[in-house]
Amino acid sequence: MGEPSREEYKIQSFDADTQQLLKTALKDPGAVDLDKVANVIVDHSLQDCVFSKEAGRMCYAIIQAESKQAGQSIFRRGLLNRLQQEYQAREQLRARSLQGWVCYVTFICNIFDYLRVNNMPMMALVNPVYDCLFRLAQPDSLSKEEEVDCLVLQLHRVGEQLEKMNGQRMDELFVLIRDGFLLPTGLSSLAQLLLLEIIEFRAAGWKMTPAAHKYYYSEVSD
């Protein structure tokens, strides 16, 4: 019973017509233009970082509803096409809007987290997600706390899954992260702390040890 109300809550940030479009897509996907629905969700995700963190659940619900109703995947295809378009233009997006770029990375990681094929993450998303995280680990990105925060949050969310899909690329990503931490040109103390925390997190098997939790979060709990 909790799920529909959570979907309704996320829909509240849209105008009335779009709310109706999304509600219909969730209940009767065959009655709406699902390519339009995919574009609406991606557009909103690029503008609203709170929504981008949760949109994967809504997309998964629409995909499930469409599959059950018609055995089709029009929405998923439209969603992946749009994600690919934004991925190809990611440097322009980052130059134009740092917030939009951070929202995009959050959104594609959220989609990777939720969408499954035969109970496995979608292979088509593995390299694009890695490429986005590699971009966040470049020196010019590590000098911006918003991008460091995004990198660490997404690794907490999907790092373990990504490593299972391609361990070599995760090793290469953490070489960049360690280099960034050890050569802190322009890194803030918060960025250094976040990078150290994610290095320890992965070293502990993608788990937070009690000692690490106490070290990194004691000030928050105080």
Side-chain angles (χ1 to χ4, degrees):
M1 292 292 288
E3 280 304 301
S5 62
R6 293 174 78 172
E7 303 303 342
E8 296 280 346
Y9 173 76
K10 289 196 290 293
I11 288 172
Q12 297 308 314
S13 57
F14 292 89
D15 62 63
D17 288 344
T18 307
Q19 284 188 40
Q20 190 57 48
L21 176 74
L22 295 174
K23 286 176 184 176
T24 305
L26 285 160
K27 292 171 185 167
D28 184 14
V32 294
D33 180 343
L34 290 172
D35 282 327
K36 180 180 179 182
V37 173
N39 283 320
V40 163
I41 291 174
V42 175
D43 286 340
H44 200 66
S45 294
L46 295 182
Q47 297 164 11
D48 183 340
C49 277
V50 174
F51 181 76
S52 72
K53 294 175 184 175
E54 298 294 336
R57 185 182 287 112
M58 183 187 294
C59 291
Y60 177 74
I62 295 171
I63 288 167
Q64 291 294 100
E66 184 191 8
S67 177
K68 185 182 291 187
Q69 184 185 68
Q72 293 183 302
S73 54
I74 295 168
F75 174 77
R76 185 174 73 184
R77 190 163 58 246
L79 177 67
L80 293 177
N81 285 342
R82 182 64 195 283
L83 280 172
Q84 184 179 23
Q85 289 172 19
E86 297 297 337
Y87 164 77
Q88 289 170 342
R90 62 194 181 280
E91 283 298 335
Q92 296 94 306
L93 173 61
R94 183 178 179 272
R96 187 172 67 249
S97 167
L98 195 64
Q99 180 184 331
W101 158 240
V102 165
C103 286
Y104 173 73
V105 179
T106 302
F107 180 63
I108 194 172
C109 288
N110 194 246
I111 295 298
F112 174 77
D113 193 23
Y114 274 98
L115 265 57
R116 289 283 185 275
V117 176
N118 299 324
N119 210 31
M120 290 286 289
M122 294 191 69
M123 282 302 299
L125 291 175
V126 173
N127 281 327
V129 169
Y130 262 123
D131 289 344
C132 289
L133 298 180
F134 268 78
R135 184 64 186 86
L136 290 173
Q138 298 302 315
D140 60 331
S141 289
L142 293 177
S143 68
K144 296 179 173 65
E145 284 184 359
E146 305 100 303
E147 290 186 275
V148 175
D149 188 55
C150 180
L151 172 64
V152 170
L153 282 173
Q154 302 323 312
L155 282 169
H156 269 281
R157 180 163 205 157
V158 299
E160 187 172 12
Q161 292 180 62
L162 275 175
E163 185 161 37
K164 287 174 182 173
M165 304 298 280
N166 189 332
Q168 181 182 341
R169 288 206 77 184
M170 188 61 73
D171 287 341
E172 292 166 0
L173 177 60
F174 269 80
V175 167
L176 282 180
I177 291 172
R178 281 194 298 271
D179 286 351
F181 174 75
L182 293 170
L183 304 170
T185 50
L187 251 67
S188 68
S189 55
L190 176 60
Q192 285 181 281
L193 188 72
L194 288 169
L195 294 180
L196 180 59
E197 188 267 329
I198 198 64
I199 289 167
E200 286 199 23
F201 187 70
R202 183 194 180 211
W206 301 102
K207 293 179 177 63
M208 179 69 74
T209 64
H213 190 278
K214 183 177 180 183
Y215 176 78
Y216 291 108
Y217 296 103
S218 60
E219 290 186 24
V220 178
S221 57
D222 289 347

